[in-house]
Amino acid sequence: MKRSVKRLLGQGLFAANLDAWLLRDNAVVVAFHRIQDADQTDALTIDAAAFERHCRFFKQHFDVVPLRDMVYRLSHGQCVDRLLAITFDDGYRDNFENARPVLEKLSLPATFFIVTEWMGSDVVPEWDRARGVRHPWMTWDQVRSLHRAGFEIGAHTKTHVDLGEVEPGEAWEELLGARLELEKQLGARVESFAYPYGGRKHVTEANRDLVKSAGFRCCCSGFGGINRTGTDPFYLRRVPITPWHVSPHQFGFEVALGRSVLSS
Ligand SMILES: [Zn+2]
């Protein structure tokens, strides 16, 4: 089905309030990476105007809550009707410069999953190096500023390791080390975790157990899908928002019909 058709169907579906029925008992976690206008050449970047359109759509059609509140409700068997949590992976500086003003303008909460050893560094991750681009990371001052402003800071390992590949000893160091560093920098508890790369193959069950042992209360994937009352927060699915979503209504259509799962 063409994306433009999905957008039209999504508009009709939401205009007819069918979403109230289709999204009943659904909790959606959306994942962004970069929000900027300059480099629009890969699937990780959403331009600022499109980001704001998505945020307005979330605010209009969902109950946007902090991820930790969604996790609390899931772990206590409470209803998660139409909840939506906004998350960002890696810690790109444009999150601070471009996403934060939109979130604050619309009074929306969000969680930022940080790769601790990359903050304030000039590390270029493999996916940016492969494309010959370099995007700056937040400084620790910026991470602390987000936290002081009420945004949640979560962990995304120390160096963005593939938890589907590394041995438990290294996984433990990456998980606990990231949490302790964040807690030292913020002076606060850190309990949310998103695993790097986010595909089904990118975490082993043994390493997922270590996420729990390291003091986290959730483990977010990145391969799509929605959550329901009773979903184990250590198997939390997230929907990546990419330039492929030509409009928020296309996103709404995919989510409402349960088609937001990527095959990776
Ligand atoms: Zn990542």
Side-chain angles (χ1 to χ4, degrees):
M1 191 187 298
K2 283 189 168 161
R3 285 180 284 169
S4 55
V5 175
K6 288 182 186 172
R7 173 167 53 85
L8 286 171
L9 289 172
Q11 282 169 347
L13 188 151
F14 279 79
N17 287 326
L18 282 172
D19 55 309
W21 173 65
L22 288 167
L23 292 174
R24 194 175 47 199
D25 194 34
N26 286 351
V28 183
V29 185
V30 293
F32 293 96
H33 285 82
R34 287 195 296 264
I35 308 298
Q36 57 153 289
D37 298 344
D39 175 12
Q40 288 287 318
T41 56
D42 75 348
L44 297 183
T45 308
I46 298 284
D47 69 65
F51 176 67
E52 180 161 345
R53 281 198 301 277
H54 275 91
C55 284
R56 288 186 184 280
F57 183 86
F58 300 152
K59 191 177 170 87
Q60 186 181 354
H61 295 289
F62 293 86
D63 181 7
V64 183
V65 295
L67 178 69
R68 59 174 170 261
D69 290 9
M70 183 189 290
V71 168
Y72 180 89
R73 288 206 219 177
L74 286 171
S75 41
H76 289 80
Q78 296 174 6
C79 178
V80 292
D81 208 24
R82 298 182 73 112
L83 297 191
L84 184 141
I86 300 169
T87 69
F88 297 82
D89 280 9
D90 301 339
Y92 283 103
R93 190 176 299 175
D94 60 34
N95 295 180
F96 182 85
E97 293 172 343
N98 301 332
R100 176 185 179 168
V102 174
L103 294 166
E104 290 188 328
K105 180 166 71 176
L106 300 176
S107 301
L108 291 173
T111 299
F112 297 84
F113 290 109
I114 300 297
V115 181
T116 54
E117 289 198 0
W118 292 358
M119 294 308 97
S121 83
D122 57 4
V123 168
V124 180
E126 56 189 308
W127 54 89
D128 286 342
R129 200 178 323 126
R131 297 171 48 250
V133 298
R134 171 188 288 265
H135 293 286
W137 304 109
M138 285 193 269
T139 64
W140 279 113
D141 272 348
Q142 290 169 328
V143 176
R144 282 190 290 269
S145 171
L146 286 174
H147 181 253
R148 274 198 307 276
F151 294 107
E152 182 182 19
I153 305 298
H156 197 46
T157 73
K158 286 166 65 176
T159 65
H160 210 279
V161 289
D162 182 347
L163 294 175
E165 295 278 332
V166 298
E167 295 298 318
E170 186 179 349
W172 178 249
E173 172 57 27
E174 287 275 346
L175 293 163
L176 185 64
R179 186 168 77 75
L180 294 179
E181 177 65 18
L182 282 171
E183 293 190 345
K184 186 178 95 182
Q185 294 284 349
L186 304 173
R189 284 277 294 163
V190 169
E191 297 183 327
S192 293
F193 177 74
Y195 63 90
Y197 305 102
R200 288 179 176 85
K201 64 179 188 202
H202 294 127
V203 64
T204 61
E205 288 312 301
N207 287 345
R208 193 194 302 272
D209 287 343
L210 292 180
V211 174
K212 200 178 288 189
S213 304
F216 296 105
R217 291 185 187 273
C218 68
C219 183
C220 296
S221 76
F223 55 78
I226 51 179
N227 309 289
R228 297 179 188 284
T229 301
T231 292
D232 181 339
F234 286 88
Y235 289 82
L236 208 52
R237 289 165 171 248
R238 292 191 299 168
V239 181
I241 306 289
T242 72
W244 185 81
H245 294 97
V246 291
S247 85
H249 283 99
Q250 185 199 338
F251 158 82
F253 174 82
E254 303 273 347
V255 165
L257 295 193
R259 294 185 180 168
S260 61
V261 184
L262 302 181
S263 53
S264 69

